[in-house]
Amino acid sequence: MKDVEKHPLKPFLPKNAKLLMLGSFPPPQKRWCMHFYYPNFINDMWRILGKVFFDDRDYFVLKEKKSFDKEKIIDFLNTAGIGIYDTAIEVRRLKGNASDAFLEVVKPTDVKGMLTKLSQCKAVVTTGTLATKTLCEMLGAEEPDVGGRSPFRLGNRELFLYRTPSSSRAYPLAFEKKVEAYRKMFSELGMGLSNMN
């Protein structure tokens, strides 16, 4: 039986969060280039958001260090109102990698509890199959198509569950197409660059 792995990061939850981004679980730490979310240098999440918000895929990239600028990312997330965590607190890695296909969720995250504290949050977005399935079961939401959204209720609030393409390069979609899907979501939520002040 594989060891149970506990989540190595605290939830990043700005009080002004309008969007909560939820992945499945961080990759093994040997693949990290920084101590934060989406830490694998060959994952394109920070390049996608750099392109969407600043028209520069390398906006958050420290090329000479083959890393991302964690402080710049945190400043951006606080200003934009984006929270980040994962749908699992404890997992077993069945193959020692970061692939959703080989992750077993031992303890899911209390996403409802998180959303209750984020009173301005309008939507949740998942970027992978496992995260989406885990969340749909938890929230009673219908599973949206990739690039789509579905409404769900939390008490007297109506929120949306978005599903965006995975930022992993293993996901077979061109970078520009991924950017389009994220740009569409942020536009629908009124979270473009002009709304960040």
Side-chain angles (χ1 to χ4, degrees), residues 38-51:
Y38 301 97
N40 187 337
F41 193 64
I42 60 167
N43 184 293
D44 282 329
M45 179 58 77
W46 301 119
R47 293 177 185 88
I48 290 168
L49 294 185
K51 186 70 180 166

Side-chain angles (χ1 to χ4, degrees), residues 72-126:
K72 204 173 191 181
I73 288 167
I74 287 172
D75 285 348
F76 159 71
L77 294 172
N78 278 319
T79 304
I82 299 171
I84 305 188
Y85 197 55
D86 289 304
T87 52
I89 292 174
E90 294 179 3
V91 299
R92 279 193 189 91
R93 288 189 205 278
L94 306 180
K95 287 226 173 157
N97 61 23
S99 170
D100 276 8
F102 303 111
L103 273 185
E104 176 194 330
V105 175
V106 175
K107 186 176 180 185
T109 301
D110 176 13
V111 176
K112 284 184 178 177
M114 236 176 234
L115 288 171
T116 301
K117 290 178 190 159
L118 298 173
S119 60
Q120 296 179 48
C121 193
K122 299 187 277 190
V124 180
V125 59
T126 55

Side-chain angles (χ1 to χ4, degrees), residues 25-40:
F25 202 78
Q29 293 202 23
K30 65 185 179 198
R31 299 192 181 180
W32 290 26
C33 70
M34 65 170 176
H35 195 78
F36 199 62
Y37 293 90
Y38 301 97
N40 187 337

Side-chain angles (χ1 to χ4, degrees), residues 123-161:
V124 180
V125 59
T126 55
T127 58
T129 305
L130 183 64
T132 306
K133 285 191 184 312
T134 305
L135 205 58
C136 285
E137 287 168 17
M138 222 181 280
L139 300 174
E142 205 172 294
E143 194 171 318
D145 293 330
V146 175
R149 69 180 186 177
S150 64
F152 69 94
R153 294 199 72 79
L154 183 71
N156 59 2
R157 289 160 68 192
E158 183 172 78
L159 294 92
F160 287 99
L161 171 60

